[in-house]
Amino acid sequence: MPASEREKMAAGEWYCCLDHELDILRRQARVAVHAHNSLPPDERGAVAPALRRLFAEAAPEVFIEAPFHCSYGINIVLGERVYFNAGCTILDSGSVTIGDRTMLGPGVQIYCAEHHKDPALRSEGIEIARPVAIGSDVWIGGGTIILGGVTIGDGAIVGAGAVVTKDVPAGARVVGNPARPINRV
């Protein structure tokens, strides 16, 4: 059984986010994010070195426009030629895996944390982390929100502004709030 709050978070168990070790990890992420967002583009390159080092894994050809935000970074795995447009946010208390050649439009938000429904426990910082897995060759339209526990299959398209609360099959196209499949000729 996991002992620390970080181990509970990684195991997908209820944990307290108001934990000293987790606060240190979030602080490290803020420093790396700040470096990425404040460096001049010619110095930053595709991903600022501090941010690249923070990620669990990032392929060489990943490109992240500024501004960008993540809560930990250590739970993010990015495949080859992943592209994030400006303003993307990943609250990665759970693992976030994004496959090769996937593109996120501006302002895409991925939220892994689910706060406790009991107000007393919620006020104590009790939450659970749910992973997000996005396949290869996926296009996520601007302003999309993806909630924890969701898998988006290879080649799927998520329309701008969608709120993805359930899995999206490979090759599907979804739009709306909540996201639902559409059929287009």
Side-chain angles (χ1 to χ4, degrees):
M1 179 165 168
S4 74
E5 299 305 309
R6 181 180 181 179
E7 289 170 330
K8 290 177 192 176
M9 182 177 79
E13 298 176 7
W14 291 100
Y15 67 95
C16 179
C17 67
L18 306 175
D19 174 74
H20 180 68
E21 180 183 14
L22 295 178
D23 189 46
I24 290 169
L25 293 172
R26 287 189 298 267
R27 195 172 315 121
Q28 290 170 349
R30 285 191 299 272
V31 169
V33 163
H34 177 75
H36 178 81
N37 292 337
S38 61
L39 279 172
D42 290 344
E43 291 178 39
R44 176 180 64 234
V47 181
L51 186 58
R52 183 177 292 281
R53 285 191 302 273
L54 185 69
F55 293 146
E57 186 178 329
E61 293 185 26
V62 167
F63 196 101
I64 300 176
E65 300 281 4
F68 169 77
H69 179 77
C70 63
S71 51
Y72 294 96
I74 61 173
N75 296 315
I76 299 173
V77 174
L78 304 174
E80 285 291 336
R81 293 177 37 217
V82 166
Y83 175 76
F84 292 179
N85 210 319
C88 289
T89 297
I90 301 179
L91 302 184
D92 62 305
S93 50
S95 67
V96 175
T97 305
I98 301 176
D100 298 341
R101 299 169 306 279
T102 289
M103 299 183 298
L104 278 65
V108 169
Q109 301 168 57
I110 299 173
Y111 303 147
C112 293
E114 179 181 322
H115 301 286
H116 206 284
K117 297 194 180 17
D118 179 309
L121 292 174
R122 189 171 53 246
S123 71
E124 294 174 13
I126 303 300
E127 61 186 37
I128 193 165
R130 305 213 185 271
V132 171
I134 302 173
S136 296
D137 302 304
V138 175
W139 177 16
I140 310 287
T144 293
I145 297 172
I146 302 169
L147 298 184
V150 166
T151 297
I152 299 175
D154 293 343
I157 298 173
V158 178
V163 177
V164 184
T165 61
K166 295 182 180 173
D167 291 351
V168 176
R173 289 190 250 176
V174 298
V175 298
N177 179 3
R180 64 196 178 287
I182 59 169
N183 295 319
R184 289 190 179 160
V185 177

